Amino acid sequence: MKRFSLPDLGEGLTESELVSWRVAVGDHVELNQVIAEVETAKALVELPAPTAGVVTRLHVEPGTTVLVGEALVDFAPDGETAPSPSVPEADTVEVDRPSGAVDREPVLVGYGPRTASGERPRRRARSVGDDAPAPAQTAPIAERARPRATPPVRRLARDLGVDLGTLVGTGIGGRIAREEVERAATGLSGQLPERARGAGAAPAVTREAPATAADGSVRRPITGVRRRTAEAMVSSAFTAPHVTEFLTVDVTPTMSLLDALARSPRTGDHRVNILTVLAKAVCIAVRRTPAVNASWDEGAGEIVEYGHVGLGIAAATPRGLLVPNIARAEELSLFELADALADLVRTAREGRTAPAELRGGTITISNVGVFGVDAGTPILNPGEAAIIALGAVRRQPWEFEGQVALRHVVTLSLSFDHRLIDGAQGSRFLVDLGTMLSDPAMVLTMV
């Protein structure tokens, strides 16, 4: 048998949550066929099959948090005979682990090394036909120390005062279910209802439902991107001294430019909007005020000013806030930037952003205008010196050529780290952005 364990997905992440299986026991898979989706603290990642063969065992259910190196699935590689899925297997499958330190999966691309902690404890081999759960005293030490359960079940056990170590889970891989925790808390006896799952069927893809209290309040687990975002925002807010400045400008000339581009055959399928123009303006303004495209290196006692722009775009997704970035955005034309922005946002909302696309950012734009918001005080993306919030474009009375007229007006908000950026530098950068949006022809004076 060939066992596939959760690989190191990089970024120093030590665990992932299994979101869904794309295969079931008995399915034949091809090499590099996607078999599962896992959610790290940064992104949704598809896992490819490490070999061609038949799935013989799924070790965990969707919603379970899995540590790097823990078993996910077993295969019978092509050319070998797969055991009947209905017969439990002894845990004596082959695991690729050459003698010595860290190794890599030989057929997967992009995964980092395994954790170099040596062999993991193995369960004792069970005899064929022994369908009963292993007694508590025969469980491996690692499993007794950390019983298998989803984050919502762990929280429920903590709230009810139930020691998960005293329970024997009946789910896949010994996972403890919510019903078992509730039964232990109330002292009720009797068998739990048999879970409806046909032979060879894939486990349910849905996650554990949020707990609803009697008063109607809902409790949801803080996991994945939401937890990572919370930790990053707290760290940023209480590490970097934030200053926020606002500038409201008449962008009627830019809106006229966008209308002209929409009618031009040269535009083709490129989707150019005010976010695209602001992104281009940021890349140009950075050259004039490089301090905004920098980071604070506490360890080295240095301010690092970057020679390129990793333009981050804050994207609201069903899984929470993500900030993927466009590498070397300053090298792209307006149309290329439009395409890059469209791809970035679409990929983020579909949950397909690769972990590599979430690092390397140097300055960020948050488009709060799409929600109808005029302005805000955005929090810095950790490690960056500045973030710009683009408000909603509104038609409102505005002074124009000595008269009051209806004009397209927008508010730009700039938050910056006052350790790196002085007020004069931040103000100059913000005014440059406003100048280019109020009169795109002024770009010619800045490049």
Side-chain angles (χ1 to χ4, degrees), residues 261-262 264-273 276 333-340 342:
L261 289 174
S264 172
R266 294 188 58 189
T267 304
D269 295 331
H270 305 294
R271 184 182 176 186
V272 182
N273 52 31
T276 315
S333 68
L334 185 67
F335 290 155
E336 291 172 335
L337 201 52
D339 293 343

Side-chain angles (χ1 to χ4, degrees), residues 136-175:
Q137 63 268 24
T138 63
I141 294 175
E143 289 191 347
R144 291 204 303 270
R146 190 176 188 275
R148 286 185 175 275
T150 63
V153 172
R154 291 183 183 279
R155 187 184 65 254
L156 177 65
R158 183 176 64 249
D159 293 343
L160 298 179
V162 175
D163 181 3
L164 291 179
T166 63
L167 305 181
V168 177
T170 58
I172 293 180
R175 173 175 172 253

Side-chain angles (χ1 to χ4, degrees), residues 35 37 140 229 358 430:
I35 59 173
E37 289 182 319
T229 300
L358 295 170
L430 184 58

Side-chain angles (χ1 to χ4, degrees), residues 231-242 379-380 382:
E231 293 171 348
M233 292 299 97
V234 170
S235 174
S236 176
F238 292 98
T239 301
H242 285 56
I379 298 177
L380 294 169

